[in-house]
Amino acid sequence: MRTRLIRTALAAALAAGGLVTTQALTAHAAANPYERGPAPTQSSIEASRGSYAVSQTTVSSLSVSGFGGGTIYYPTSTADGTFGAVAISPGYTAYQSSIAWLGPRLASQGFVVFTIDTNTTLDQPDSRGRQLLAALDYLTQQSSVRGRIDTSRLGVMGHSMGGGGTLEAAKSRPSLQAAIPLTGWNLDKTWPEIQTPTLVVGADGDTVAPVATHSEPFYESLPGSLDKAYLELNGATHFTPNSSNTTIAKYSISWLKRFIDNDTRYEQFLCPLPSPSLTIDEYRGNCPHTS
């Protein structure tokens, strides 16, 4: 009887102390099983690499249909389970090398990333949108890393006409969890059909796809009820997304984590809305996010 009383008292003491923390952590993990990696900090989202070691594999254009092949970057370890995935398209006349820096940078934060080549370098946005979706289908159904991917957690990104293609892909496939057009170009200026949380990135010095006729109307035409944001880079050009850029990376990582992984730990970097700075000319959006 005395032993039972001691055990009961010990259990109560543990519940009042460390055990409560353990249960809280377990409950938190159960509430969002998609969280990957340590709790983020300003320095962790600005770092050139995240916490995951990254491997890569090349996909030949001869082995796929619907797009031009590419490179898959993925977390080397499978200890944390499956990951969300993102396909990224280059722009007009460009190859995957122009957006290759995003591959390891995003993958090291806990995503499978597919930087693709398009069928031809002259493909228009609607074609690039279809190719992004074809790349995601290959990635999740046929690729050598398909077992590492959660097929319900997918997103798209793209530069220039690839950014226009990103909007096309999101319009065509509402199940996508995130879309990020980077200095996007498209003759279609209105996107009220999109249901995917979308971060539109423009550049104040863009003369190829000026924000006044591209990124801004893209953003403004998105449904008011949608989780959306507009980031205008300060001192930037149409081609800024073609080189490693901390501002693009930190907000892209935060957006992908928040909406592909439903990881609210990253909400702090998106809401309250970031203020203008040496690298941000303007940031608009709806806060708090509800998706």
Side-chain angles (χ1 to χ4, degrees), residues 85-91 99-103 105-107 111-118 125 128-133 135-136 154-170 176-184 196-201 231 241 245 247-257 260:
V86 186
I88 310 177
S89 169
I99 37 93
W101 70 274
L102 284 162
R105 191 147 184 177
L106 298 180
F111 295 101
V112 175
V113 182
F114 199 0
T115 57
I116 69 169
D117 278 319
T118 47
R128 290 172 191 268
R130 291 192 298 272
Q131 292 180 62
L132 282 167
L133 297 180
L136 286 177
L154 305 176
V156 286
M157 296 178 67
H159 172 241
S160 191
M161 283 197 180
T166 295
L167 295 168
E168 300 279 2
L176 293 175
Q177 300 297 296
I180 306 178
L182 303 170
T183 58
T196 297
T198 300
L199 168 62
V200 177
V201 179
L231 165 62
N245 183 282
T247 304
I248 291 174
K250 67 187 287 188
Y251 292 107
S252 294
I253 290 165
S254 298
W255 196 263
L256 297 174
K257 284 286 191 179
I260 289 183

Side-chain angles (χ1 to χ4, degrees):
M1 182 69 175
R2 183 184 179 195
T3 301
R4 184 183 302 167
L5 290 172
I6 292 173
R7 287 175 177 168
T8 301
L10 179 60
L14 287 171
L19 188 58
V20 171
T21 301
T22 302
Q23 290 173 336
L25 291 172
T26 302
H28 181 66
N32 181 18
Y34 306 131
E35 285 185 5
R36 297 291 180 266
T41 62
Q42 195 73 235
S43 60
S44 76
I45 62 171
E46 293 181 350
S48 60
R49 291 294 181 273
S51 61
Y52 289 94
V54 174
S55 298
Q56 66 185 74
T57 184
T58 301
V59 178
S60 169
S61 61
L62 301 177
S63 65
V64 300
S65 61
F67 65 105
T71 304
I72 303 171
Y73 303 85
Y74 58 95
T76 304
S77 173
T78 58
D80 289 344
T82 57
F83 297 92
V86 186
I88 310 177
S89 169
Y92 190 63
T93 74
Y95 298 92
Q96 62 162 320
S97 57
S98 67
I99 37 93
W101 70 274
L102 284 162
R105 191 147 184 177
L106 298 180
S108 68
Q109 296 283 349
F111 295 101
V112 175
V113 182
F114 199 0
T115 57
I116 69 169
D117 278 319
T118 47
N119 290 325
T120 80
T121 59
L122 306 180
D123 291 332
Q124 297 296 298
D126 59 342
S127 174
R128 290 172 191 268
R130 291 192 298 272
Q131 292 180 62
L132 282 167
L133 297 180
L136 286 177
D137 291 342
Y138 171 83
L139 192 61
T140 57
Q141 299 170 20
Q142 301 178 55
S143 75
S144 61
V145 300
R146 60 189 181 277
R148 299 171 184 261
I149 300 169
D150 182 334
T151 59
S152 69
R153 297 187 289 128
L154 305 176
V156 286
M157 296 178 67
H159 172 241
S160 191
M161 283 197 180
T166 295
L167 295 168
E168 300 279 2
K171 176 181 175 179
S172 298
R173 189 171 294 182
S175 62
L176 293 175
Q177 300 297 296
I180 306 178
L182 303 170
T183 58
W185 187 99
N186 200 308
L187 291 176
D188 186 349
K189 310 301 181 184
T190 58
W191 302 92
E193 312 92 342
I194 288 182
Q195 301 176 37
T196 297
T198 300
L199 168 62
V200 177
V201 179
D204 63 347
D206 193 335
T207 58
V208 177
V211 293
T213 54
H214 289 78
S215 292
E216 288 187 289
F218 295 164
Y219 169 77
E220 292 296 340
S221 71
L222 294 168
S225 59
L226 183 70
D227 281 323
K228 62 178 183 175
Y230 171 73
L231 165 62
E232 186 172 318
L233 301 170
N234 189 27
T237 73
H238 183 70
F239 301 102
T240 294
N242 291 153
S243 302
S244 180
N245 183 282
T246 296
T247 304
I248 291 174
K250 67 187 287 188
Y251 292 107
S252 294
I253 290 165
S254 298
W255 196 263
L256 297 174
K257 284 286 191 179
R258 175 62 183 81
F259 295 106
I260 289 183
D261 288 356
N262 194 32
D263 193 338
T264 55
R265 297 179 300 174
Y266 287 80
E267 181 82 350
Q268 62 182 302
F269 308 114
L270 303 170
C271 294
L273 300 179
S275 301
S277 66
L278 292 176
T279 60
I280 297 175
D281 186 73
E282 181 185 1
Y283 194 104
R284 309 176 203 169
N286 59 329
C287 286
H289 298 119
T290 59
S291 297

